[in-house]
Amino acid sequence: MDPSSSSSSSSSSSSSSSSSTPPSSSSKFWETQRTLLGSSSSLPPTPAQLYNFRTASLLTTTLSLILPTASLLYVLIPTNPSPSLSFLLGGLLGTLYLRGLTSYVSTIGKSAINDLGEVDLSDAGGGFARFAFLALMFVLGKAAEGKLMIGVMIPGFFMYQV
């Protein structure tokens, strides 16, 4: 027997076995596979997407801790709303600081080294932001003396670290 004839007979038997399945079920299978591939994301999330998700969840968590705590202060001390308002203002300033910090951190890798390989220090002033927010709290507390309590604003500000 000729080897070429045996291979042709095996290929004809394999083609006859594939033709025994109904073509509609085969095409339906491939349509389902295409649908599944199209609906699922084939690429893993990029580091920037992961960072944005973590940033959003951090900001949400911070706000979800500040608002109930300020509400609890208002319930515990209903005669004087100053502690709850002070805590809320400090917490909102802390959340704004956190938002600025996360946006600053996201730019560190992008602009730290310029095209010539030199370190670019034009964004180096970001370390003073916390001091600026704390100074703003003291100015607001002094301006609204008797209405805002600086001692309660500071823990509200540092709630972003919890």
Side-chain angles (χ1 to χ4, degrees), residues 130-150:
R130 186 185 316 189
F131 177 73
F133 274 99
L134 287 172
L136 177 64
M137 282 191 332
F138 280 106
V139 167
L140 287 174
K142 194 66 174 170
E145 199 166 341
K147 295 180 181 140
L148 293 177
M149 303 169 75
I150 296 174

mmCIF file of all heavy atoms in Angstrom, residues 130-150:
data_model
loop_
_atom_site.group_PDB
_atom_site.id
_atom_site.type_symbol
_atom_site.label_atom_id
_atom_site.label_comp_id
_atom_site.label_asym_id
_atom_site.label_seq_id
_atom_site.Cartn_x
_atom_site.Cartn_y
_atom_site.Cartn_z
ATOM 1 N N ARG A 130 0.555 70.069 52.929
ATOM 2 C CA ARG A 130 -0.077 69.778 54.217
ATOM 3 C C ARG A 130 0.039 70.973 55.154
ATOM 4 O O ARG A 130 -0.911 71.331 55.841
ATOM 5 C CB ARG A 130 0.554 68.550 54.864
ATOM 6 C CG ARG A 130 -0.183 68.144 56.132
ATOM 7 C CD ARG A 130 0.451 67.020 56.874
ATOM 8 N NE ARG A 130 0.871 65.949 56.002
ATOM 9 C CZ ARG A 130 1.293 64.794 56.440
ATOM 10 N NH1 ARG A 130 1.344 64.558 57.722
ATOM 11 N NH2 ARG A 130 1.685 63.864 55.612
ATOM 12 N N PHE A 131 1.193 71.587 55.155
ATOM 13 C CA PHE A 131 1.374 72.767 55.997
ATOM 14 C C PHE A 131 0.431 73.888 55.561
ATOM 15 O O PHE A 131 -0.132 74.597 56.401
ATOM 16 C CB PHE A 131 2.833 73.249 55.937
ATOM 17 C CG PHE A 131 3.068 74.501 56.713
ATOM 18 C CD1 PHE A 131 3.092 74.475 58.101
ATOM 19 C CD2 PHE A 131 3.256 75.712 56.065
ATOM 20 C CE1 PHE A 131 3.303 75.628 58.829
ATOM 21 C CE2 PHE A 131 3.463 76.873 56.783
ATOM 22 C CZ PHE A 131 3.480 76.828 58.170
ATOM 23 N N ALA A 132 0.256 74.043 54.254
ATOM 24 C CA ALA A 132 -0.635 75.095 53.753
ATOM 25 C C ALA A 132 -2.077 74.818 54.180
ATOM 26 O O ALA A 132 -2.803 75.742 54.574
ATOM 27 C CB ALA A 132 -0.539 75.186 52.232
ATOM 28 N N PHE A 133 -2.516 73.557 54.120
ATOM 29 C CA PHE A 133 -3.883 73.231 54.550
ATOM 30 C C PHE A 133 -4.055 73.435 56.057
ATOM 31 O O PHE A 133 -5.094 73.913 56.511
ATOM 32 C CB PHE A 133 -4.250 71.799 54.156
ATOM 33 C CG PHE A 133 -4.788 71.689 52.764
ATOM 34 C CD1 PHE A 133 -3.983 71.295 51.726
ATOM 35 C CD2 PHE A 133 -6.117 71.987 52.491
ATOM 36 C CE1 PHE A 133 -4.477 71.198 50.445
ATOM 37 C CE2 PHE A 133 -6.621 71.896 51.223
ATOM 38 C CZ PHE A 133 -5.800 71.501 50.185
ATOM 39 N N LEU A 134 -3.043 73.073 56.828
ATOM 40 C CA LEU A 134 -3.126 73.294 58.270
ATOM 41 C C LEU A 134 -3.140 74.790 58.586
ATOM 42 O O LEU A 134 -3.881 75.236 59.474
ATOM 43 C CB LEU A 134 -1.961 72.605 58.981
ATOM 44 C CG LEU A 134 -2.052 71.086 59.063
ATOM 45 C CD1 LEU A 134 -0.759 70.499 59.605
ATOM 46 C CD2 LEU A 134 -3.226 70.654 59.912
ATOM 47 N N ALA A 135 -2.327 75.566 57.871
ATOM 48 C CA ALA A 135 -2.338 77.013 58.073
ATOM 49 C C ALA A 135 -3.698 77.599 57.703
ATOM 50 O O ALA A 135 -4.220 78.481 58.406
ATOM 51 C CB ALA A 135 -1.236 77.668 57.244
ATOM 52 N N LEU A 136 -4.305 77.086 56.631
ATOM 53 C CA LEU A 136 -5.640 77.534 56.239
ATOM 54 C C LEU A 136 -6.663 77.210 57.322
ATOM 55 O O LEU A 136 -7.546 78.021 57.616
ATOM 56 C CB LEU A 136 -6.047 76.889 54.912
ATOM 57 C CG LEU A 136 -7.447 77.205 54.400
ATOM 58 C CD1 LEU A 136 -7.573 78.686 54.077
ATOM 59 C CD2 LEU A 136 -7.772 76.354 53.192
ATOM 60 N N MET A 137 -6.524 76.046 57.949
ATOM 61 C CA MET A 137 -7.443 75.703 59.044
ATOM 62 C C MET A 137 -7.290 76.678 60.207
ATOM 63 O O MET A 137 -8.285 77.106 60.793
ATOM 64 C CB MET A 137 -7.192 74.266 59.527
ATOM 65 C CG MET A 137 -7.778 73.241 58.619
ATOM 66 S SD MET A 137 -7.797 71.560 59.266
ATOM 67 C CE MET A 137 -6.456 71.456 60.360
ATOM 68 N N PHE A 138 -6.066 77.028 60.557
ATOM 69 C CA PHE A 138 -5.867 77.969 61.653
ATOM 70 C C PHE A 138 -6.403 79.352 61.306
ATOM 71 O O PHE A 138 -6.987 80.033 62.153
ATOM 72 C CB PHE A 138 -4.376 78.051 62.033
ATOM 73 C CG PHE A 138 -3.939 76.914 62.892
ATOM 74 C CD1 PHE A 138 -3.164 75.889 62.371
ATOM 75 C CD2 PHE A 138 -4.301 76.853 64.228
ATOM 76 C CE1 PHE A 138 -2.756 74.837 63.163
ATOM 77 C CE2 PHE A 138 -3.906 75.803 65.034
ATOM 78 C CZ PHE A 138 -3.131 74.787 64.491
ATOM 79 N N VAL A 139 -6.231 79.774 60.059
ATOM 80 C CA VAL A 139 -6.760 81.071 59.638
ATOM 81 C C VAL A 139 -8.286 81.061 59.695
ATOM 82 O O VAL A 139 -8.912 82.012 60.185
ATOM 83 C CB VAL A 139 -6.248 81.429 58.221
ATOM 84 C CG1 VAL A 139 -7.007 82.604 57.626
ATOM 85 C CG2 VAL A 139 -4.763 81.724 58.260
ATOM 86 N N LEU A 140 -8.900 79.983 59.212
ATOM 87 C CA LEU A 140 -10.360 79.884 59.277
ATOM 88 C C LEU A 140 -10.848 79.826 60.717
ATOM 89 O O LEU A 140 -11.866 80.436 61.065
ATOM 90 C CB LEU A 140 -10.848 78.645 58.519
ATOM 91 C CG LEU A 140 -10.789 78.705 57.002
ATOM 92 C CD1 LEU A 140 -11.155 77.356 56.414
ATOM 93 C CD2 LEU A 140 -11.718 79.785 56.484
ATOM 94 N N GLY A 141 -10.124 79.076 61.535
ATOM 95 C CA GLY A 141 -10.505 78.988 62.943
ATOM 96 C C GLY A 141 -10.390 80.317 63.658
ATOM 97 O O GLY A 141 -11.213 80.664 64.504
ATOM 98 N N LYS A 142 -9.372 81.076 63.331
ATOM 99 C CA LYS A 142 -9.186 82.389 63.958
ATOM 100 C C LYS A 142 -10.217 83.386 63.432
ATOM 101 O O LYS A 142 -10.724 84.219 64.180
ATOM 102 C CB LYS A 142 -7.766 82.894 63.669
ATOM 103 C CG LYS A 142 -7.358 84.047 64.507
ATOM 104 C CD LYS A 142 -7.264 83.624 65.957
ATOM 105 C CE LYS A 142 -6.693 84.770 66.771
ATOM 106 N NZ LYS A 142 -6.779 84.524 68.186
ATOM 107 N N ALA A 143 -10.548 83.286 62.133
ATOM 108 C CA ALA A 143 -11.528 84.204 61.546
ATOM 109 C C ALA A 143 -12.925 83.944 62.099
ATOM 110 O O ALA A 143 -13.706 84.873 62.293
ATOM 111 C CB ALA A 143 -11.532 84.076 60.026
ATOM 112 N N ALA A 144 -13.230 82.687 62.337
ATOM 113 C CA ALA A 144 -14.546 82.330 62.866
ATOM 114 C C ALA A 144 -14.424 81.956 64.335
ATOM 115 O O ALA A 144 -14.933 80.945 64.787
ATOM 116 C CB ALA A 144 -15.133 81.171 62.071
ATOM 117 N N GLU A 145 -13.728 82.798 65.081
ATOM 118 C CA GLU A 145 -13.481 82.529 66.492
ATOM 119 C C GLU A 145 -14.807 82.395 67.242
ATOM 120 O O GLU A 145 -15.700 83.212 67.117
ATOM 121 C CB GLU A 145 -12.646 83.651 67.100
ATOM 122 C CG GLU A 145 -11.975 83.236 68.376
ATOM 123 C CD GLU A 145 -10.899 84.237 68.780
ATOM 124 O OE1 GLU A 145 -10.449 85.010 67.942
ATOM 125 O OE2 GLU A 145 -10.534 84.214 69.947
ATOM 126 N N GLY A 146 -14.916 81.339 67.993
ATOM 127 C CA GLY A 146 -16.140 81.070 68.737
ATOM 128 C C GLY A 146 -17.126 80.207 67.956
ATOM 129 O O GLY A 146 -18.029 79.626 68.530
ATOM 130 N N LYS A 147 -16.944 80.117 66.644
ATOM 131 C CA LYS A 147 -17.847 79.292 65.832
ATOM 132 C C LYS A 147 -17.178 78.003 65.382
ATOM 133 O O LYS A 147 -17.833 76.987 65.250
ATOM 134 C CB LYS A 147 -18.327 80.087 64.617
ATOM 135 C CG LYS A 147 -19.173 81.272 64.991
ATOM 136 C CD LYS A 147 -19.622 82.019 63.772
ATOM 137 C CE LYS A 147 -20.450 83.201 64.231
ATOM 138 N NZ LYS A 147 -20.197 84.408 63.477
ATOM 139 N N LEU A 148 -15.900 78.052 65.133
ATOM 140 C CA LEU A 148 -15.150 76.864 64.723
ATOM 141 C C LEU A 148 -14.112 76.551 65.789
ATOM 142 O O LEU A 148 -13.511 77.439 66.368
ATOM 143 C CB LEU A 148 -14.459 77.091 63.375
ATOM 144 C CG LEU A 148 -15.362 77.243 62.163
ATOM 145 C CD1 LEU A 148 -14.532 77.543 60.931
ATOM 146 C CD2 LEU A 148 -16.195 76.009 61.943
ATOM 147 N N MET A 149 -13.907 75.252 66.014
ATOM 148 C CA MET A 149 -12.968 74.801 67.037
ATOM 149 C C MET A 149 -11.767 74.145 66.350
ATOM 150 O O MET A 149 -11.913 73.099 65.713
ATOM 151 C CB MET A 149 -13.661 73.816 67.967
ATOM 152 C CG MET A 149 -14.915 74.387 68.628
ATOM 153 S SD MET A 149 -15.890 73.134 69.457
ATOM 154 C CE MET A 149 -14.918 72.841 70.895
ATOM 155 N N ILE A 150 -10.606 74.767 66.478
ATOM 156 C CA ILE A 150 -9.410 74.265 65.816
ATOM 157 C C ILE A 150 -9.032 72.882 66.348
ATOM 158 O O ILE A 150 -8.603 72.012 65.593
ATOM 159 C CB ILE A 150 -8.243 75.252 65.974
ATOM 160 C CG1 ILE A 150 -8.580 76.549 65.259
ATOM 161 C CG2 ILE A 150 -6.950 74.672 65.426
ATOM 162 C CD1 ILE A 150 -7.574 77.645 65.457
#
